[in-house]
Amino acid sequence: MLPESTNGTSGGGLAVPMAWLCAEFTADDLLRASCLVPPGSLEYRAGRQTLALTIHLCEGADASSGTRATGRLDEWISRTAHDRPWPHWVRERLDERVHAGEESPDLAMAQETWRRLRSTQLRAADLGGIPSAATGLPVDESAQVWLPAWRLGLPLGHLALHLY
């Protein structure tokens, strides 16, 4: 008996987003190993999804499975760095794949994740209002603002990559 949901891939079988699932597994593993936030928290979820999207769009989830793939890790660190235009890069990469005619469950998962990361708002410390180190003023964590989930997940994911 064939599954109800097929899209003609994999010889008529169920379309499974394996590349996306590998990227998500890798992101989960990196974030859990860093012990930065409790698993299951909104912050954790934002970090995992941001990292998974980065890993998937770098086309490197399979290269890191079970090993410390230094080249890929360096690329992910570079992509998530504070001074990089991460959201622009994500939109660009997704648009490239759509324009190339790619139709896959992996692309659909990446697009949906990007939509959720942009539309989900989390209340967090104002990361954009951090004073420079030269002023010597401590960060006021009570000054909170609503941020798109990716704005919180990106520095969390970047820090988790550094701690790996």
Side-chain angles (χ1 to χ4, degrees):
M1 173 180 255
L2 287 176
E4 290 181 26
S5 175
T6 61
N7 70 353
T9 61
S10 304
L14 183 63
V16 178
M18 288 306 296
W20 177 260
L21 292 174
C22 287
E24 203 168 53
F25 175 82
T26 302
D28 189 66
D29 190 41
L30 289 165
L31 210 50
R32 281 182 192 275
S34 72
C35 297
L36 292 169
V37 291
S41 67
L42 292 174
E43 295 86 355
Y44 183 89
R45 189 169 179 182
R48 186 187 69 214
Q49 295 303 306
T50 301
L51 268 178
L53 193 56
T54 303
I55 292 166
H56 179 70
L57 293 177
C58 284
E59 302 169 335
D62 55 357
S64 69
S65 298
T67 65
R68 185 178 176 131
T70 307
R72 289 293 185 188
L73 196 60
D74 289 344
E75 181 181 5
W76 302 337
I77 288 171
S78 172
R79 287 286 171 208
T80 59
H82 175 69
D83 60 345
R84 298 296 299 257
W86 188 82
H88 176 71
W89 174 76
V90 169
R91 285 190 298 271
E92 216 172 60
R93 294 295 299 229
L94 290 172
D95 287 347
E96 286 172 8
R97 291 177 180 202
V98 168
H99 286 37
E102 180 180 329
E103 289 184 32
S104 70
D106 297 304
L107 178 59
M109 292 294 292
Q111 288 174 314
E112 178 59 20
T113 297
W114 177 231
R115 186 195 65 73
R116 279 193 321 258
L117 284 169
R118 285 179 298 134
S119 64
T120 302
Q121 298 285 313
L122 300 175
R123 189 148 171 83
D126 186 4
L127 300 175
I130 295 176
S132 69
T135 65
L137 297 173
V139 174
D140 182 9
E141 292 185 30
S142 65
Q144 295 193 343
V145 294
W146 289 99
L147 301 169
W150 71 265
R151 297 269 327 243
L152 185 60
L154 193 61
L156 183 61
H158 183 73
L159 185 54
L161 289 167
H162 272 290
L163 293 174
Y164 185 69

